[in-house]
Amino acid sequence: MVDCVKNEYRHHIGSHEEIMAMKAKHQVLATYTFDPTVIERGYNNRSLYISVGGQYDVSEQDPLLRKTEGERGIVIGEKAVTDFMKQKFTGGKGFDLYHLWKAVKADTSWNAPENDIVISPGPLAGITQYPGAGKSLVCCISPTTHLPIDSNVGGYFGPFLKFAGFDILELQGQAEEDILIYIDGNNHTISVETAPEEAFDSHILGEQLSEMYANSTKDKENISVISSGRAAEHSYIGILNFTFWDKRRQCIRLKQAGRGGIGTVFRNKKIKAVVIRYSGVHGDLNNPANKGLLNAAGIRLHKEMAHYDTKQNNMRKIGTANIIEVMDRYDLLPTHNYQYGGHPETPKIASKVFIEKYITQNVPDGCWYGCSMSCAKAADNFELRTGPYKGQKVCVDGPEYENGGGLGSNVGCFDPRWILEANFYCDTYGVDTISHATMTAFAQECYQRGLINLDDTEGLDLRWGNGYALNELMHHMVAGDGFGMIVGKGIRHQKRIYAERFGKVLPEYESMLEGRPWVSIKEPVIDKPIPTVHFNPDLADCEYLKAEGYDDEKVLASIKGDLLENAGANNDSAYIAQPGRWSKLIGVPTIGRDEITAWPVGKPYYSDDPDCCYSNGRPWVKMTPEQIAEMEEFGMENKGLEYSEYLMKESLAQQGGYALCNKGPQHDEAWLIFMDMVNNQIPTFEDKAEALHYFPMFRTWFGLLGLCKLPWNDITPINNKYEAEPAKIPEHVQNYFDIYEGVIGEKHSEASMVVQSERVYTFQRIFILRMGSGQRKHDTPPARSLGPITVGEYLSREERYDKQMKEIIGVDPTGKSIEEKVKIIMAYRWDQFEQLVDAVYKRRGWTPNGIPKLEKLIEIGMDIPELVQTVRPYLKQEGYWPSGEEYAKYDE
Amino acid sequence: MSDKHIELNHRTYPYREGLTISALMQENNFNFSHIIVKVNGALVEEEKWTKTAVYAGDNVEIIHIFGGG
C-alpha cells in the first residue's frame, strides 16, 4: 500500500461518527425509485433528469416519461433516449448538446436556472477490455464564453451512471440552499437532500461523501462523487471533480472536467455534490454484441503498453507530463505568456524531476478499470506551504502536462514545488488549471508592462516566477478578494475591468494622489526579458520567518538580497505586501457606471459600480485606447476561453486548430503542431484544411463514444512506421472500429466515423451561432498566437524570423528596424491565417463567413428544422441559400 | 559553400559531402524518441541512421510520431 497522506488531514474530513452526524442533518427533499434495466449494446435508452428547483420554461424539452415532484420545486424524472438521438447524436457529447439545445434559448445566460449541466458517458464507456474507456462528457452554457462548452473527464462516475441505468444525467434549475444528489445504482433509488455541513473543497468533500455513502471501507471503490469547490463561488473557471477510490492509497482521487466553468454553473445551482454508488462492475455490463472483438483489441494494446511505453512516452511513469522537456526542446513550451517557446530553466521542471522526486512509482494509476496506460499519476505526501492547508501533507493528482506548461513555464515558475502546490489547490478549490495559468500569465504581463501596478494587484508582485505570489493570487480569488476576483473571471473580464479602471494618471491630477500609496507606472520591461526570480520559498514566507524569530527588516533584506542577486530586480516590490487601502481623496469624484465610458482618460475617479469587487476606496483611472489595444494583442483568449498550453506561433495549422475550435481554444479538437511545424507534412492550405477536418472529427468521435484520446497516439504499434499515414496510427483506429463493432454490433469505417462526428460538430457550430457567436469574426485569434508582436519576441528568435522574411516573404530584412520587421512578419501571417480560414471553411462545407451550408446539412442528415431555421437568415444574407425545387421545402 | 541541396521535410536544405541521417537529425535538433525516417520514400531503420549517407537531390522525411495534446 502506498504511504497515504489522508491521516494528515483526517481532522478536516472528520471521524466516521462526525460524518454520519453530518448526514443526520440532511433533509430529504425528494426521492425517486426507478426500474432496473439491462444495457443493450451500450445503451440504456433512457436518461435521468433532475431539476433542483426554480421557475423556467420547459416547453421545448423532451417530455418526462415518469417523474416525481419533491419539495421546493424539485423534479426527478426519466426521458427516453430515442433512435433519432442515437442516429443523429450517437451519445456522450452529442447527447449533451442535444439536451442543452432543448433546455436553453438564444439569450440564456450561464446563471439562468434553465442552463443545463448534461453528463453522458457514451455508448462504449464502461468497457474494461480496452484502455481509456471510462470517460464522461459534460456540457453546459459557459460563464466565460456564454456558449456551449464541452469537457471530458475520467473517474468512475460516468460508467457507474450507465450501469445504474442511465445514459445521461441532466441537472437543471437552481436550488434554494446547498443540496446533494444521491443515486443508488443497486437499490434503484435517487434522493435530493440538503447538505448543510459538508466541506466545499473537493479533496475533503470527496472523502466525506465516500465515507458517508459506502457500506464499508472496501465499498468505497463503488462510490464516485462529483463536486466543484470554493473557487466556483467567486470565479468563472470552476471545474467539476469526478472521484474514484484509490484502493492502494486508500484515498479518493480526482479527475477534472476542466474547461469553461462548468463547476461555476454547478455551484450556481447550489449543488454541492452528486454521489453515485454502484457495486458489481464487470466487463460485460454493456452487453456487447461481440466480446471477442473487444478482447482481441484490448490484448493488442495491453501488449504494446507493456513492451513499448518505456521506450516511447513513459505514460505509466509520469503521464502526460512526459512532454514538458520535449515541448521545450522544440520551442513549443509556452513561456512568459506565450512570448517564447522555451526557457533555460526548463530542466528544473522536466518530467524526470517529478518522476525521481515527487511522483509515486509502480502504482497502477488508471482512472477506470482495465486501463493499462495508467497515466493518472500522483505525488504523495506533498507538504503544502501556503493557504488553508499549509503544513499538511497531501496527495496531489498530477502533474499533467498542462500543469507544467501552464502553472510552470507560462507564468515563469520553474520550481516543481510551486507547480505541485498550485496543482493541488486548483483541484481542491475546483479551478481550471489551464484557464487559471493563462489568465494569470496575462495579468503578469500587464503588470510587467506597467498597465497595472502593485497597488492594483493589492500588493501581489506578479513578476514571472514568483510562485508565492501566484499561489496567493489563487487564494485571493477563491476568497473573493478584490484583484483575485477580477483575475478569476477570465482574460476577457480582466481586459474590460483594466480598461475601465486601471491606467496611468495624467500629470495634472498627480497632486491629488500625492502622499498616497500609489506606485508609479513602471517603464515597460517586457522587451528585456527578466531572468526568472527564485525566492527561497521559506524566506519568502514572512509569517513563517517571524515565527522563527526574524524581524521584518531581516526578512525583507533577505528577500531583496535574494532577488537582487538572482535577478537584478528592483527592490520596490520584492515582497508580498498587504493590500493597500485608500481612504477617499479630496477632489476625486465618485461616478456611476454609466459615466465610466465617457470619463477622461487619466483622470482619477471613485467607482460606485455595484459589480466592482473593490471596496477599499481606491481611485480608478481609465486606460488609453493604445493600452487597450495592446491588451487585445497579448490577451490569450478566443471566444472568451483562455488558450491551452502550447505555443502555436510557428504552426499555422495549430493556430487554426485553436481559433476555429467551437468552444474556444482547447487543443482537444486538433493538435497538429508536429505534423505541421516540424514534419511539414501538410504544407498547402488544402493539406492543412484536410487535417483540420479529419483530426477534429476523429477527436470529436472520442467524445461521442466515451473514450480517452491518450491510448490512440500516446503509444504506437511497432509496425506503424510502415503505414502510409503514420500520424493517424491506423492500427489503433482499426482497434476503435473493432471495439465499436464489438459493443454496438455495427461495422464502422473511417468514412462512417467522420460523418458521425460531422453531425455533432456541425450541430455545435450552429449552436454557437444561435448563441451569438459562430461567425468568422468570432474565430479571430489574438495577434500573439500568430507570431512575434514585440521587439523582445522578435529578437529572441531573430535569425529564424529574418530567414523567413527573406526566403518565404521575399523581403530583405537588412537595414530594417525590429519594429518594421515585426510589422512585415505579422502582416504576412495575418494574410496566411485568413487564407487558412477560407480553406478550412470550404472543406467543412461552410460559407466564407463560417456558416454551415444547407447542402452540407442535407449531406450529413442534419437538415432538421431547428438547424435550418438558424442558418437560413445568414445563408440568405450572404447569398448562399441554394436555389432549386429540391430546396423549396426548407424555405418554409 | 555548395549550391547543392536536398529536400528535408519538403523544405530545401543545403547538402554537403558526408551528410548522414544522424547528422541531419543532430543539426535540426530532432531528438524526440519516436521518429520515422524515409529517404526517397524508403524507410530507413533506426540502427542504420548513423551510416546512411544522404546525397544531393535526396528527398528526406524525418517524421515525428508525436501524441501530444
Side-chain angles (χ1 to χ4, degrees):
Chain A
M1 185 185 296
V2 176
D3 181 17
C4 185
V5 297
K6 70 189 178 80
N7 288 334
E8 296 282 339
Y9 53 89
R10 170 57 67 189
H11 61 285
H12 285 284
I13 299 167
S15 65
H16 178 76
E17 291 70 27
E18 287 168 327
I19 289 169
M20 297 318 283
M22 285 178 195
K23 189 179 184 186
K25 300 276 177 62
H26 291 188
Q27 180 187 352
V28 177
L29 303 175
T31 58
Y32 184 74
T33 303
F34 56 93
D35 295 328
T37 58
V38 175
I39 299 172
E40 297 173 14
R41 298 185 176 187
Y43 293 99
N44 284 287
N45 298 311
R46 70 177 179 186
S47 68
L48 173 60
Y49 172 87
I50 299 174
S51 170
V52 296
Q55 298 292 317
Y56 48 92
D57 183 9
V58 294
S59 60
E60 300 296 321
Q61 299 185 30
D62 286 351
L64 292 171
L65 302 177
R66 296 178 56 210
K67 70 173 181 179
T68 186
E69 294 183 11
E71 296 177 37
R72 304 178 197 177
I74 293 171
V75 178
I76 307 174
E78 297 171 31
K79 294 178 181 176
V81 170
T82 62
D83 288 342
F84 170 82
M85 287 172 63
K86 290 193 279 189
Q87 185 198 353
K88 304 293 186 189
F89 297 95
T90 306
K93 171 177 161 179
F95 283 178
D96 291 350
L97 291 170
Y98 168 81
H99 277 302
L100 186 61
W101 175 286
K102 295 272 183 184
V104 302
K105 301 198 165 32
D107 59 354
T108 296
S109 68
W110 70 271
N111 55 1
E114 64 263 33
N115 192 6
D116 208 12
I117 298 175
V118 198
I119 303 166
S120 179
L124 300 194
I127 61 172
T128 58
Q129 294 86 351
Y130 199 82
K135 286 280 188 173
S136 299
L137 275 293
V138 191
C139 291
C140 72
I141 300 298
S142 159
T144 59
T145 66
H146 307 285
L147 303 173
I149 187 80
D150 61 274
S151 203
N152 75 71
V153 54
Y156 290 6
F157 188 92
F160 284 0
L161 176 72
K162 193 177 187 183
F163 301 151
F166 300 101
D167 298 324
I168 304 161
L169 170 61
E170 265 188 276
L171 300 168
Q172 209 174 14
Q174 268 165 349
E176 294 173 11
E177 60 186 301
D178 285 330
I179 55 126
L180 71 77
I181 295 160
Y182 176 55
I183 302 167
D184 188 328
N186 295 105
N187 293 315
H188 315 296
T189 59
I190 296 161
S191 62
V192 179
E193 306 167 9
T194 61
E197 294 198 350
E198 288 80 356
F200 286 98
D201 291 343
S202 280
H203 79 291
I204 294 178
L205 180 59
E207 293 279 2
Q208 288 176 335
L209 295 177
S210 296
E211 179 82 23
M212 191 179 287
Y213 288 98
N215 297 331
S216 62
T217 300
K218 184 172 185 337
D219 192 44
K220 289 181 180 177
E221 66 192 48
N222 302 317
I223 301 286
S224 182
V225 178
I226 303 177
S227 63
S228 185
R230 276 187 283 168
E233 306 285 336
H234 302 294
S235 77
Y236 288 167
I237 57 170
I239 59 170
L240 291 185
N241 281 302
F242 283 45
T243 72
F244 67 97
W245 178 252
D246 187 329
K247 58 187 174 187
R248 289 166 185 83
R249 289 182 170 84
Q250 289 289 294
C251 64
I252 58 123
R253 303 285 305 283
L254 302 173
K255 300 300 290 180
Q256 294 79 30
R259 302 308 320 265
I262 302 172
T264 301
V265 178
F266 190 78
R267 286 300 300 138
N268 181 261
K269 295 182 180 302
K270 288 197 175 294
I271 304 173
K272 192 178 263 186
V274 183
V275 185
I276 193 163
R277 179 180 178 278
Y278 181 82
S279 170
V281 172
H282 61 83
D284 298 342
L285 286 173
N286 271 297
N287 201 3
N290 184 344
K291 203 170 81 172
L293 281 173
L294 294 181
N295 288 338
I299 288 167
R300 284 195 294 273
L301 200 73
H302 294 321
K303 282 183 178 173
E304 286 171 20
M305 284 305 308
H307 290 142
Y308 308 126
D309 180 55
T310 51
K311 295 172 192 161
Q312 294 183 10
N313 297 326
N314 253 345
M315 294 294 282
R316 297 206 290 187
K317 282 189 175 173
I318 185 61
T320 58
N322 76 84
I323 66 171
I324 293 172
E325 60 269 27
V326 182
M327 292 292 101
D328 182 80
R329 289 203 302 267
Y330 284 83
D331 206 26
L332 296 167
L333 187 70
T335 303
H336 296 176
N337 193 30
Y338 302 88
Q339 291 184 83
Y340 315 112
H343 195 281
E345 294 188 72
T346 300
K348 293 178 179 173
I349 58 167
S351 61
K352 74 172 187 178
V353 175
F354 289 102
I355 292 172
E356 290 171 1
K357 290 189 177 175
Y358 299 102
I359 303 301
T360 306
Q361 295 298 308
N362 303 315
V363 180
D365 284 317
C367 70
W368 177 241
Y369 293 103
C371 187
S372 49
M373 184 160 266
S374 197
C375 68
K377 311 314 294 182
D380 291 295
N381 293 305
F382 181 78
E383 186 168 344
L384 299 166
R385 291 178 290 168
T386 66
Y389 307 108
K390 179 178 168 180
Q392 292 185 28
K393 290 183 178 176
V394 296
C395 174
V396 185
D397 279 276
E400 299 281 353
Y401 162 72
E402 281 74 13
N403 301 127
L407 304 171
S409 57
N410 217 8
V411 298
C413 187
F414 295 92
D415 182 334
R417 291 170 300 172
W418 284 125
I419 293 172
L420 286 169
E421 178 117 356
N423 186 159
F424 171 80
Y425 275 114
C426 278
D427 288 350
T428 197
Y429 284 155
V431 171
D432 172 10
T433 53
I434 294 174
S435 276
H436 176 68
T438 302
M439 61 180 54
T440 300
F442 172 72
Q444 288 179 280
E445 185 163 347
C446 287
Y447 175 76
Q448 291 175 96
R449 282 173 178 250
L451 296 169
I452 60 175
N453 60 38
L454 197 64
D455 188 51
D456 299 324
T457 66
E458 299 194 323
L460 295 172
D461 177 6
L462 295 183
R463 272 177 295 177
W464 307 122
N466 188 346
Y468 187 98
L470 301 182
N471 275 280
E472 284 298 317
L473 176 66
M474 181 164 25
H475 300 315
H476 287 205
M477 181 175 86
V478 170
D481 282 348
F483 183 70
M485 201 154 141
I486 293 173
V487 173
K489 289 185 174 170
I491 289 175
R492 194 165 276 195
H493 184 83
Q494 282 183 65
K495 286 189 291 192
R496 183 176 71 78
I497 296 293
Y498 295 171
E500 287 180 357
R501 295 165 183 173
F502 296 159
K504 188 170 184 174
V505 184
L506 293 177
E508 58 266 39
Y509 299 112
E510 279 181 356
S511 61
M512 283 182 187
L513 308 174
E514 198 173 335
R516 293 293 164 181
W518 179 267
V519 177
S520 298
I521 300 295
K522 298 183 188 75
E523 290 297 316
V525 292
I526 203 68
D527 292 338
K528 294 178 273 183
I530 304 171
T532 305
V533 173
H534 279 281
F535 284 118
N536 176 328
D538 294 323
L539 288 178
D541 187 340
C542 299
E543 285 184 24
Y544 169 80
L545 285 162
K546 271 192 265 183
E548 293 293 305
Y550 291 88
D551 59 31
D552 282 349
E553 280 186 3
K554 278 185 183 172
V555 171
L556 286 176
S558 299
I559 294 170
K560 285 175 187 173
D562 195 41
L563 277 169
L564 290 167
E565 182 185 338
N566 289 299
N570 297 327
N571 62 3
D572 61 350
S573 57
Y575 57 95
I576 309 303
Q578 288 301 308
R581 297 294 177 206
W582 291 70
S583 56
K584 291 228 171 186
L585 296 175
I586 296 165
V588 179
T590 299
I591 65 170
R593 186 174 185 80
D594 294 342
E595 295 174 88
I596 290 174
T597 46
W599 198 253
V601 168
K603 180 180 175 183
Y605 63 91
Y606 293 111
S607 171
D608 59 3
D609 178 359
D611 287 342
C612 175
C613 43
Y614 278 91
S615 58
N616 60 0
R618 180 201 181 286
W620 308 107
V621 183
K622 251 174 71 174
M623 277 186 177
T624 64
E626 291 75 21
Q627 289 173 313
I628 294 169
E630 199 181 331
M631 288 194 298
E632 291 297 333
E633 290 199 323
F634 67 84
M636 297 300 286
E637 60 90 7
N638 172 260
K639 302 183 181 77
L641 188 72
E642 286 70 29
Y643 273 72
S644 67
E645 308 302 329
Y646 295 96
L647 195 79
M648 71 306 283
K649 280 179 183 168
E650 302 308 315
S651 168
L652 180 58
Q654 188 60 41
Q655 292 160 18
Y658 270 133
L660 275 59
C661 187
N662 278 327
K663 66 182 165 209
Q666 170 70 358
H667 55 273
D668 66 350
E669 271 198 9
W671 197 91
L672 301 173
I673 295 180
F674 267 76
M675 271 188 83
D676 187 34
M677 178 184 118
V678 183
N679 300 340
N680 197 25
Q681 289 172 284
I682 44 177
T684 68
F685 290 114
E686 289 69 29
D687 293 335
K688 293 182 204 306
E690 185 57 39
L692 281 167
H693 183 252
Y694 175 81
F695 287 100
M697 292 314 124
F698 190 45
R699 300 288 290 264
T700 295
W701 194 74
F702 287 107
L704 305 183
L705 276 298
L707 299 170
C708 174
K709 161 267 173 192
L710 298 175
W712 161 49
N713 66 354
D714 281 279
I715 183 74
T716 309
I718 196 69
N719 289 329
N720 192 57
K721 58 191 171 188
Y722 302 116
E723 299 281 1
E725 294 185 281
K728 290 183 176 177
I729 322 288
E731 189 177 319
H732 287 179
V733 174
Q734 186 56 50
N735 281 351
Y736 286 112
F737 296 158
D738 285 352
I739 63 172
Y740 182 88
E741 184 182 350
V743 174
I744 309 287
E746 295 172 8
K747 286 203 177 296
H748 220 25
S749 66
E750 188 168 295
S752 57
M753 175 274 291
V754 166
V755 171
Q756 208 168 28
S757 295
E758 276 188 306
R759 291 184 183 125
V760 174
Y761 194 88
T762 309
F763 179 80
Q764 190 171 6
R765 181 71 178 184
I766 297 173
F767 201 160
I768 68 172
L769 183 69
R770 178 195 188 205
M771 302 301 288
S773 180
Q775 298 181 61
R776 188 178 186 121
K777 63 186 176 186
H778 302 110
D779 290 337
T780 303
R784 177 168 285 165
S785 83
L786 303 187
I789 60 169
T790 64
V791 169
E793 287 167 78
Y794 195 100
L795 284 173
S796 74
R797 274 71 177 156
E798 187 174 20
E799 187 182 351
R800 174 196 299 165
Y801 294 133
D802 279 356
K803 188 167 186 274
Q804 288 176 4
M805 191 178 299
K806 190 172 181 181
E807 295 179 1
I808 298 175
I809 306 176
V811 174
D812 185 354
T814 310
K816 291 190 165 42
S817 71
I818 303 298
E819 288 83 355
E820 286 174 311
K821 292 198 279 192
V822 166
K823 279 185 185 167
I824 292 166
I825 282 274
M826 290 306 293
Y828 173 78
R829 291 189 174 199
W830 275 113
D831 177 67
Q832 293 283 295
F833 180 78
E834 294 301 336
Q835 290 190 60
L836 176 77
V837 173
D838 285 337
V840 174
Y841 285 177
K842 185 179 176 187
R843 177 61 185 89
R844 291 179 180 178
W846 301 354
T847 71
N849 190 33
I851 311 298
K853 293 178 182 175
L854 178 61
E855 297 92 319
K856 184 67 186 178
L857 298 185
I858 295 169
E859 176 197 323
I860 60 175
M862 292 299 277
D863 50 332
I864 52 184
E866 291 153 290
L867 301 190
V868 174
Q869 279 171 22
T870 306
V871 298
R872 186 165 53 207
Y874 294 94
L875 295 178
K876 288 197 167 186
Q877 190 180 3
E878 294 169 24
Y880 283 92
W881 187 256
S883 57
E885 275 188 27
E886 68 269 36
Y887 302 113
K889 65 179 179 181
Y890 297 105
D891 206 7
E892 293 160 2
Chain B
M1 185 176 166
S2 168
D3 59 355
K4 292 179 179 176
H5 293 91
I6 64 166
E7 284 279 307
L8 174 59
N9 288 355
H10 310 290
R11 297 181 182 109
T12 304
Y13 192 87
Y15 169 76
R16 68 167 190 280
E17 195 81 21
L19 194 60
T20 63
I21 298 294
S22 291
L24 269 178
M25 295 178 74
Q26 198 171 357
E27 286 169 17
N28 286 276
N29 200 28
F30 289 167
N31 47 26
F32 184 55
S33 61
H34 198 197
I35 286 176
I36 296 171
V37 176
K38 291 182 179 178
V39 177
N40 300 324
L43 185 76
V44 181
E45 298 285 356
E46 186 171 352
E47 58 270 21
K48 295 180 181 173
W49 291 350
T50 51
K51 292 182 180 173
T52 300
V54 177
Y55 300 100
D58 276 354
N59 177 14
V60 182
E61 296 169 87
I62 300 181
I63 303 167
H64 297 63
I65 300 300
F66 194 88

